Amino acid sequence: VTDAPPVSLTTEPPARADVPYYRPSGTEVELCRAALECGRPVMLVGPTGCGKTRFVEHITATLGRPLRTIVGNDDTTTADLLGRFLVTGGDVRWVDGPLTLAARRGEICYIDEVVEVRREALAALYPLADDRRCVFLDRVAEVVAAAPGFGLMCSYNPGRSLGFKDLRSAFRQRFVTIALDYLDEVGELEVLRRESGVDQDVARRLVAVATALRQGLSAEGPEAPSTRSLVVAAELVSRGIAEDVAVQHCVVAPLVHGSDVPPAAVTEIVSSLY
Ligand SMILES: Nc1ncnc2c1ncn2[C@@H]1O[C@H](COP(=O)(O)OP(=O)(O)OP(=O)(O)O)[C@@H](O)[C@H]1O
Ligand SMILES: [Mg+2]
């Protein structure tokens, strides 16, 4: 085997002042910290752009742990998680995968889009996600006990074709599961202001557009404007782009192109506000 070692992204814990901003919608911060302190894995469920990744960054920074991120896809193999033998300069040596590394070093391992990962590969998580807190490296006959501080966090978006119900009960029931959603209007307004620096009036109108679209489109399916798309629109406005143009390109177009959402329904809702 000569392919490159699995890619993972590690970031050192930032200083306290650099804790990424996260606005909670409930008690998720306390809940997640308590679960991780008990050594229990956490599953985050929520629509696109509702703050799942930001939440993970916030939690790991407040705990002062390094964060190792794995983005799951249907090509993710057990070797991509645990490690593999690599040939380097004629030598064959074992190279730990990101999950094994995180366990050895006591990092927080975050598996994004975990439902995309095939069942065979997910099996590697079982012993890490229960009382054993270890990784079985069958190929090198080693059992790696997770170091203190190790935490497993996973997330997925239930609006995708795959969902949590596609995961085995034995897998699901190992996790403390936290459902996140878009913030209420006050919360989203604060996020827009802090993330983009736009003034109160602009933020208020952007939130009003999102609220109207979420309500108006709820019968059309799971598609809804995300907080992320509002933040991006707000950023463009703060760069001098007209508000209606920013809404068109950051909120409306991503909603209707490539989805079943009827453009007329969106246009009707948005034009009543601008
Ligand atoms: N509760 C929140 N607190 C602070 N910022 C938030 C919050 N929710 C959303 N945001 C903003 O929205 C952006 C997108 O959030 P994030 O990337 O965490 O979404 P996500 O849930 O991981 O989405 P996806 O499922 O598409 O990966 C963040 O970069 C941040 O600017
Ligand atoms: Mg994310």
Side-chain angles (χ1 to χ4, degrees):
V1 187
T2 53
D3 48 344
V7 178
S8 68
L9 313 164
T10 314
T11 45
E12 286 306 311
R16 200 43 241 204
D18 294 338
V19 170
Y21 165 67
Y22 175 76
R23 161 130 187 160
S25 55
T27 56
E28 67 269 31
V29 172
E30 295 78 15
L31 196 61
C32 183
R33 284 186 67 124
L36 293 174
E37 280 161 15
C38 296
R40 298 300 174 183
V42 173
M43 178 70 71
L44 303 175
V45 191
T48 183
C50 76
K52 299 182 294 297
T53 299
R54 177 61 68 88
F55 178 66
V56 173
E57 291 166 346
H58 173 83
I59 289 284
T60 49
T62 59
L63 291 173
R65 307 303 308 156
L67 171 62
R68 189 173 292 271
T69 300
I70 301 169
V71 182
N73 62 65
D74 57 8
D75 268 347
T76 307
T77 62
T78 308
D80 292 331
L81 298 176
L82 295 186
R84 51 167 54 90
F85 287 105
L86 289 181
V87 181
T88 40
D91 284 342
V92 180
R93 60 186 184 97
W94 174 261
V95 177
D96 282 339
L99 187 67
T100 308
L101 272 180
R104 274 194 211 283
R105 296 177 180 176
E107 300 170 344
I108 303 286
C109 185
Y110 171 41
I111 308 183
D112 201 359
E113 301 302 347
V114 69
V115 280
E116 303 282 340
V117 177
R118 276 191 260 139
R119 281 188 175 187
E120 310 86 84
L122 285 184
L125 297 177
Y126 280 58
L128 259 185
D130 61 33
D131 294 341
R132 292 169 290 175
R133 278 177 64 79
C134 67
V135 178
F136 289 100
L137 301 180
D138 296 342
R139 304 190 68 190
V140 284
E142 187 186 352
V143 179
V144 179
F150 170 78
L152 178 62
M153 297 186 74
C154 297
S155 70
Y156 74 94
N157 175 347
R160 308 274 294 263
S161 54
L162 294 167
F164 208 27
K165 64 178 163 33
D166 297 297
L167 299 170
R168 285 179 204 276
S169 179
F171 185 77
R172 287 184 273 127
Q173 295 202 29
R174 278 170 162 75
F175 287 83
V176 174
T177 300
I178 301 177
L180 297 177
D181 206 341
Y182 302 122
L183 291 162
D184 63 15
E185 293 178 46
V186 175
E188 202 160 44
L189 191 103
E190 187 198 281
V191 167
L192 290 196
R193 295 207 61 191
R194 289 194 59 152
E195 294 288 293
S196 71
V198 285
D199 68 34
Q200 183 89 357
D201 288 342
V202 175
R204 216 187 283 282
R205 282 191 295 269
L206 290 173
V207 171
V209 169
T211 306
L213 283 170
R214 287 172 193 153
Q215 283 165 1
L217 297 178
S218 59
E220 310 284 350
E223 207 80 33
S226 66
T227 305
R228 176 190 293 115
S229 65
L230 298 184
V231 169
V232 178
E235 284 172 353
L236 296 197
V237 171
S238 70
R239 293 235 151 203
I241 301 293
E243 224 174 288
D244 57 339
V245 174
V247 167
Q248 182 57 38
H249 290 279
C250 303
V251 181
V252 174
L255 262 187
V256 295
H257 293 294
S259 81
D260 298 331
V261 174
V266 176
T267 310
E268 194 183 320
I269 293 165
V270 172
S271 57
S272 70
L273 290 157
Y274 278 102

